């Protein structure tokens, strides 16, 4: 059981920063921040969960069944992540590529302390065992400051896992699969990394969030492992009997010149290659949602709409379905995972080819982070535009990718990857 207390806050932006600074004392921290981005499916402006009471950590074997049992037993808020490699739990697949980060395949925890922000109200939801700490925590939060956070003085030397010529060769091999009819589309990703590197995760997250302002920003800490995410993409959400998926496919750079910027957005909206990418994934998501949907309830609410973020223009579609009460929420995720926007079509064939051509185990990249509520609702983002850090190994990593279709030009795909990587590189090398 949880004790709930509402507190009016003067400045939500300042309060979020204070919350994050205060939260650094805990081993388990999740901040989910919408950066005031509001659409019809928004519930909170930000959510902070800290201090695990119970937790679940596992490899991919029977991972979804274990998560289902944990979620059913807990009957409470749980926060955590699903790595891309949980695909091996669903299909006869494997992940044998290099892994410099070492994140567990699945991790969720039940927070003792939960703070939900909406407008100028912060709702404190504490487990009863710690509810006597709400007042003292509120005082400590209001006194928190990032003034004492040391900036990283060591320059980070970023290296590509796949060099440019090798990237072209691999994309051409993927195009050969497409022309042969093995697949229609696949998301091909590459890692950029730094070894023997020390960063200040809070400082890096703040800089990344500041220059991107995405709707699904995440600061995630589990002991010595960090996810610092500026994701613009929702993977999947359940609210009552409605399920919402919002895949992104199609990217264009921004321009400081207003007319040029508008032209870039219009070009993206009308680009046949980008639209075909998006529509293929919409079809895949419709099929995935149909596994748990009530008959005839899968709908495309929005197709190929261009949204503008600080770093890029993105083409987003919204697909929804209805589910009956007897469908377990974890089964909705299992039957749609990994998300179509980060795999390809047909999904299983695409994932096999991806594994063969990529050099790095994806791990948390192109997985999902989010939460389940006590009412069996959930909301998860797609882990892209994200920096991953293993503090013990001193290993820093970010990955970027693009969708390869029959109309792909390897040079343009490479350039798209660099556009997506721009914010992460700037933050780490500044």
């Amino acid at each position: 059981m949880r004790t709930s207390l509402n507190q009016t806050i003067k400045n939500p932006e300042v309060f979020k920063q204070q919350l994050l600074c205060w939260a650094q004392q805990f081993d388990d921290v999740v901040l989910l921040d919408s950066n005031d981005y509001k659409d019809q499916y928004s519930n909170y402006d930000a959510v902070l969960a800290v201090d695990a009471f119970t937790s679940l950590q596992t490899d991919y074997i029977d991972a979804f069944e274990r998560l289902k049992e944990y979620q059913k037993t807990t009957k409470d808020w749980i926060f955590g992540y699903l790595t891309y490699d949980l695909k091996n739990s669903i299909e006869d697949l494997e992940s044998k590529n290099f892994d410099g980060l070492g994140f567990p395949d699945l991790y969720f925890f039940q927070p003792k302390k939960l703070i939900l922000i909406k407008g100028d109200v912060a709702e404190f939801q504490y487990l009863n065992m710690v509810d006597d700490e709400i007042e003292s925590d509120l005082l400590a939060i209001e006194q928190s400051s990032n003034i004492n956070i040391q900036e990283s003085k060591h320059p980070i030397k970023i290296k590509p896992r796949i060099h440019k010529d090798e990237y072209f060769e691999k994309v051409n091999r993927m195009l050969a699969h497409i022309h042969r009819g093995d697949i229609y589309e696949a998301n091909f990703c590459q890692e950029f990394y730094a070894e023997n590197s020390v960063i200040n995760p809070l400082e890096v997250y703040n800089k990344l969030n500041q220059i991107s302002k995405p709707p699904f920003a995440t600061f995630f800490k589990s002991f010595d492992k960090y996810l610092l995410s500026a994701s613009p993409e929702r993977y999947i959400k359940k609210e009552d009997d409605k399920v919402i998926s919002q895949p992104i496919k199609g990217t264009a750079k921004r321009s400081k010149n207003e007319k040029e910027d508008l032209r870039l957005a219009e070009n993206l909206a009308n680009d046949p290659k980008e639209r075909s990418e998006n529509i293929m994934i919409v079809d895949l998501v419709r099929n995935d949602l149909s596994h748990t949907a009530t008959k005839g309830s899968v709908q495309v609410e929005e197709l190929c709409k261009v949204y503008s973020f600080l770093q890029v223009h993105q083409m987003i579609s919204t697909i929804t379905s209805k589910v009956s009460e007897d469908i377990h929420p974890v089964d909705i995720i299992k039957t749609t995972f990994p998300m179509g926007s980060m795999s390809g079509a047909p999904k299983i064939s695409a994932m096999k080819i991806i594994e063969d051509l990529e050099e790095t185990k994806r791990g948390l990249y192109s997985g999902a982070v989010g939460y389940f509520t006590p009412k069996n609702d959930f909301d998860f983002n797609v882990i892209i535009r994200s920096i991953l850090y293993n503090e013990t190994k001193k290993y820093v990593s970010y990955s970027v990718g693009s969708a390869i279709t029959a109309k792909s030009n390897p040079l343009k795909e490479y350039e798209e990857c660099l556009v997506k990587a721009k914010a992460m590189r700037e933050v780490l090398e500044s």
Side-chain angles (χ1 to χ4, degrees):
M1 294 289 289
R2 291 187 177 270
T3 299
S4 180
L5 173 74
N6 287 351
Q7 176 71 29
T8 302
I9 47 181
K10 293 177 183 177
N11 187 322
E13 283 304 312
V14 171
F15 187 75
K16 282 190 291 188
Q17 267 305 303
Q18 292 172 326
L19 267 184
L20 199 47
C21 292
W22 167 79
Q24 298 307 306
Q25 64 187 291
F26 300 104
D27 291 326
D28 293 279
V29 179
V30 181
L31 175 76
L32 306 172
D33 188 357
S34 73
N35 285 298
D36 290 327
Y37 181 89
K38 293 180 175 64
D39 64 14
Q40 61 179 315
Y41 298 117
S42 300
N43 288 109
Y44 306 104
D45 296 334
V47 178
L48 178 81
V50 298
D51 200 9
F53 175 52
T54 65
S55 64
L56 169 67
Q57 176 179 308
T58 183
D59 60 16
Y60 69 87
I61 299 169
D62 295 327
F64 286 99
E65 293 308 310
R66 294 187 66 182
L67 176 59
K68 188 186 292 189
E69 185 61 32
Y70 180 61
Q71 192 268 341
K72 191 164 38 175
T73 303
T74 308
K75 295 178 182 175
D76 191 15
W77 293 84
I78 58 172
F79 289 74
Y81 67 73
L82 311 150
T83 66
Y84 173 80
D85 302 290
L86 291 179
K87 64 185 174 57
N88 307 336
S89 175
I90 304 166
E91 305 291 347
D92 184 19
L93 299 166
E94 58 186 10
S95 300
K96 290 188 174 179
N97 289 328
F98 173 77
D99 178 13
L101 287 159
F103 280 76
D105 288 338
L106 180 148
Y107 183 73
F108 277 83
F109 73 95
Q110 175 191 13
K112 292 179 186 175
K113 302 179 179 185
L114 174 63
I115 301 169
L116 309 163
I117 300 172
K118 192 165 187 177
D120 63 351
V121 175
E123 181 185 355
F124 288 69
Q125 286 200 18
Y126 278 29
L127 289 178
N128 289 352
M129 67 178 71
V130 292
D131 63 6
D132 60 336
E133 298 175 18
I134 293 179
E135 295 290 346
S136 59
D137 281 354
L138 180 57
L139 185 62
I141 290 163
E142 290 173 342
Q143 293 173 346
S144 292
S145 167
N146 62 3
I147 292 171
N148 297 321
I149 292 174
Q150 295 294 311
E151 288 207 3
S152 302
K153 300 299 182 187
H154 308 287
I156 305 294
K157 180 63 177 173
I158 303 294
K159 296 184 285 188
R161 183 67 61 186
I162 301 172
H163 290 277
K164 191 173 181 179
D165 289 346
E166 189 182 5
Y167 176 88
F168 291 160
E169 186 265 330
K170 286 174 178 286
V171 170
N172 282 322
R173 283 168 60 189
M174 189 166 277
L175 283 167
H177 281 289
I178 293 170
H179 295 144
R180 196 162 55 231
D182 300 333
I183 52 172
Y184 308 113
E185 174 181 352
N187 194 282
F188 178 57
C189 301
Q190 56 178 318
E191 182 195 23
F192 294 84
Y193 69 100
E195 298 169 299
N196 298 314
S197 297
V198 176
I199 64 172
N200 184 310
L202 182 53
E203 173 209 351
V204 170
Y205 167 77
N206 282 334
K207 286 182 176 178
L208 183 63
N209 191 44
Q210 194 62 39
I211 65 175
S212 301
K213 293 288 183 186
F216 298 99
T218 304
F219 179 98
F220 186 101
K221 171 189 175 186
S222 179
F223 293 89
D224 64 339
K225 297 177 183 67
Y226 293 83
L227 163 69
L228 317 167
S229 179
S231 175
E233 183 173 359
R234 170 177 277 128
Y235 157 42
I236 196 166
K237 176 185 174 96
K238 177 180 176 289
E239 192 165 30
D240 299 323
D241 66 343
K242 188 171 185 176
V243 178
I244 305 104
S245 182
Q246 295 180 296
I248 289 178
K249 269 285 156 271
T251 304
K253 64 182 180 181
R254 298 295 308 266
S255 172
K256 292 179 181 177
N257 180 288
E258 191 175 336
K259 286 185 178 178
E260 171 71 7
D261 193 57
L262 187 61
R263 185 184 66 80
L264 289 166
E266 288 175 350
N267 287 350
L268 174 60
N270 297 313
D271 188 310
K273 185 257 180 186
E274 303 282 10
R275 289 185 68 87
S276 69
E277 272 185 30
N278 196 295
I279 290 165
M280 281 186 218
I281 297 307
V282 167
D283 284 342
L284 188 153
V285 172
R286 289 172 62 222
N287 181 66
D288 283 351
L289 290 179
S290 70
H291 293 301
T292 55
T294 56
K295 191 173 181 180
S297 69
V298 179
Q299 303 288 330
V300 179
E301 290 191 355
E302 200 169 63
L303 186 64
C304 297
K305 183 170 179 181
V306 172
Y307 289 82
S308 298
F309 302 97
L310 287 185
Q311 295 288 320
V312 289
H313 300 292
Q314 301 274 202
M315 188 182 285
I316 305 176
S317 292
T318 300
I319 308 99
T320 64
S321 67
K322 293 291 183 73
V323 291
S324 61
E325 283 186 10
D326 61 340
I327 297 292
H328 195 283
V330 173
D331 286 331
I332 300 169
I333 292 173
K334 183 178 179 180
T335 52
T336 58
F337 195 84
M339 62 290 301
S341 62
M342 296 306 297
S343 50
K347 190 186 273 191
I348 297 171
S349 298
M351 289 191 291
K352 287 179 180 177
I353 293 166
I354 286 166
E355 180 68 23
D356 181 50
L357 291 177
E358 292 181 358
E359 294 290 328
T360 310
K361 179 180 174 180
R362 288 195 184 177
L364 198 47
Y365 171 69
S366 74
V369 65
Y371 60 86
F372 292 88
T373 76
K375 295 181 179 178
N376 285 337
D377 290 340
F378 56 72
D379 200 1
F380 285 86
N381 75 359
V382 178
I383 299 173
I384 52 175
R385 319 293 157 80
S386 301
I387 294 167
L388 297 162
Y389 179 46
N390 185 315
E391 190 174 34
T392 302
K393 291 184 175 183
K394 298 181 180 178
Y395 189 90
V396 182
S397 168
Y398 63 86
S399 294
V400 287
S402 68
I404 310 301
T405 69
K407 295 179 180 178
S408 288
N409 176 309
L411 176 59
K412 287 188 176 179
E413 299 298 339
Y414 189 78
E415 289 172 346
E416 180 178 322
C417 288
L418 296 184
V419 168
K420 291 173 176 175
K422 183 172 180 280
M424 282 95 74
R425 178 177 286 277
E426 280 183 8
V427 164
L428 290 172
E429 292 189 342
S430 61

